[in-house]
Amino acid sequence: MHFRAGVITGAVVTLLVAAAGWWIVYRPAPASSATTTAVKPATVAHILKEETVNTITLTPEATQRLGITTAPITIKPTRRTRSYSGEVTIPAGRAIIVAAPLGGILQAPTTGVPSPGAVVRKGQSVMMLLPLLTPEARTTIASARVDADGQVNIAKNNLDAARIALERAQKMLRDMAGSQRNVDEAKATFDNAGKTLEAATARRDLLIKIAGEADKGTAAPIPMDAPADGMLRAVNALPGQNVPGGAALFEVVDLTNVWIRVPVYVGDGKEIDTAADAAIGELVTKAGATTHSAKPVVAPPTANAVAATSDIYYELDNRATRFSPGQRVGVTLALTGAATSPTIPWSSVVIDIHGGTWVYEQTAANVYVRRRVIVRHVSDGVAALASGPSTSTQVVITGAAELFGTEIGFSK
């Protein structure tokens, strides 16, 4: 018992001595009474402030040589617009497919078969069809002639109805009870009905000629003419082929006017002014780019459930053949209501390589400072600002690009 108690006592004493030694060696240093100063992780000699940089001072001669003029920022109502992507399409009724009235062998006209993409005139022979006057063909000709007479009568009735609707719309417009849009829609319907009647009449006359030759037992090659002026979009058969009656031979499209299909998110539909014209331009809008005015038209309703969009159609004059079917274009649509905001000419705005928009403020005679602005929208050459310098600030409206070149070293 005495031996065991001695061992325990020795172990406890050893632990106490070790703890005391550790405390002496590693004890914390006493806090100094003097207040210590925190060390900053970084030192900046001059804090960069945007309003104190990019100051350009020109001589009076340089200002005159650059042609710099200024004007104040003004607050005024501007037409609100929104940009969308559109697609050029062929108007309804402007694509005509010419089919073989009966079976036969195709031949080339004396001038040859035009290539797809060629411009053809109404009455121009595209192909020649040598009919095969079998007993079945004679029966087909007779039935086709009866059908052609019926199509001509229907086309005449549609034309008469369209004429009455057009006259009614014009009268209501004169009496201040209608709109120009109703007149335009009635005029488009009347024009389409006239073209349909022309095509039906030409088909009936051709069948009458064929039927007369069949009764005589003779058959000469029948010219397959272009039914209207336009572009030969497709050629589905070639000379030397034997084609059955009703086979599509070629297609002619009239691209004098084209439609622009604009998919609009259904949530934006109520904001769009569907009665206003649209501005058609390049898919990527550039400052000073030329745009073309397009009028709204009534078209068959189309939509895309997956993209949650509904289509709006506009008609565009394309006599200069600037646009092709399927081409993507940029469309600027007017919104309902006018917004009041600070405005400057679009020529005042310069864009840097990062897409930032800036203007140059005149702070003194021949002294200009670059200021950042945020452009809400651009309409008719006027930029509405979401943020920027205060109202009445003098900004450069002519020569901003020259100042920007001077600042970054692109000009002398």
Side-chain angles (χ1 to χ4, degrees), residues 151-156 159 192-202:
Q151 293 296 329
V152 170
N153 293 333
I154 294 174
K156 286 182 178 179
L159 182 62
N192 290 335
K195 292 182 180 295
T196 303
L197 178 59
E198 290 179 5
T201 302

Side-chain angles (χ1 to χ4, degrees), residues 56-412:
I56 303 174
T57 303
L58 301 178
T59 62
E61 294 77 10
T63 301
Q64 183 178 4
R65 185 173 66 253
L66 295 177
I68 295 176
T69 59
T70 62
I73 297 177
T74 58
I75 295 181
K76 62 180 181 180
T78 58
R79 188 184 64 165
R80 299 192 305 136
T81 60
R82 189 169 295 163
S83 298
Y84 294 90
S85 171
E87 179 186 2
V88 179
T89 62
I90 300 174
R94 300 295 177 85
I96 305 175
I97 298 176
V98 177
L102 68 161
I105 299 175
L106 294 177
Q107 296 179 352
T110 55
T111 57
V113 178
S115 302
V119 176
V120 294
R121 299 298 179 184
K122 181 180 179 180
Q124 177 181 343
S125 295
V126 179
M127 295 181 181
M128 305 293 291
L129 177 65
L130 181 62
L132 301 177
L133 298 180
T134 60
E136 293 81 4
R138 295 173 187 269
T139 303
T140 302
I141 292 173
S143 62
R145 179 177 175 181
V146 173
D147 180 67
D149 290 336
Q151 293 296 329
V152 170
N153 293 333
I154 294 174
K156 286 182 178 179
N157 294 335
N158 291 338
L159 182 62
D160 293 339
R163 182 184 292 107
I164 294 172
L166 176 59
E167 293 174 353
R168 183 186 300 113
Q170 291 173 341
K171 183 177 183 302
M172 293 180 66
L173 180 62
R174 289 193 298 269
D175 296 340
M176 305 298 292
S179 63
Q180 183 62 43
R181 179 179 181 181
N182 293 336
V183 175
D184 295 339
E185 293 172 359
K187 182 65 168 58
T189 304
F190 177 76
D191 293 340
N192 290 335
K195 292 182 180 295
T196 303
L197 178 59
E198 290 179 5
T201 302
R203 181 171 179 267
R204 183 197 61 182
D205 295 342
L206 178 61
L207 288 172
I208 291 175
K209 178 182 178 182
I210 296 173
E213 294 178 350
D215 294 338
K216 297 176 183 178
T218 61
I222 304 169
M224 296 286 100
D225 299 337
D229 296 343
M231 184 187 71
L232 193 63
R233 186 183 187 187
V235 177
N236 302 319
L238 298 175
Q241 291 183 341
N242 189 343
V243 295
L249 302 181
F250 56 89
E251 181 182 10
V252 177
V253 294
D254 181 9
L255 297 179
T256 304
N257 294 289
V258 294
W259 281 1
I260 308 298
R261 183 181 66 87
V262 186
V264 176
Y265 172 62
V266 292
D268 296 345
K270 294 182 179 180
E271 296 186 71
I272 304 298
D273 186 358
T274 56
D277 293 351
I280 311 300
E282 298 179 1
L283 187 59
V284 178
T285 304
K286 299 179 181 178
T290 302
T291 59
H292 308 277
S293 178
K295 296 184 177 298
V297 295
V298 176
T302 56
N304 188 333
V306 177
T309 58
S310 179
D311 298 331
I312 304 176
Y313 288 85
Y314 295 86
E315 188 174 46
L316 177 65
D317 186 352
N318 193 41
R319 283 175 291 185
T321 63
R322 299 185 185 92
F323 303 96
S324 303
Q327 179 181 346
R328 284 287 182 178
V329 294
V331 183
T332 302
L333 302 183
L335 304 181
T336 56
T340 301
S341 58
T343 60
I344 56 174
W346 178 235
S347 60
S348 302
V349 181
V350 294
I351 304 175
D352 60 22
I353 60 173
H354 304 293
T357 49
W358 306 80
V359 297
Y360 282 96
E361 175 189 349
Q362 184 180 23
T363 57
N366 303 320
V367 178
Y368 307 93
V369 179
R370 183 152 56 100
R371 304 295 193 196
R372 185 183 298 276
V373 295
I374 296 178
V375 179
R376 178 178 286 113
H377 59 82
V378 180
S379 177
D380 300 327
V382 177
L385 301 182
S387 65
S390 60
T391 306
S392 301
T393 299
Q394 290 286 335
V395 296
V396 175
I397 62 173
T398 304
E402 287 77 6
L403 278 178
F404 190 57
T406 301
E407 180 183 350
I408 62 179
F410 281 173
S411 63
K412 297 181 181 179

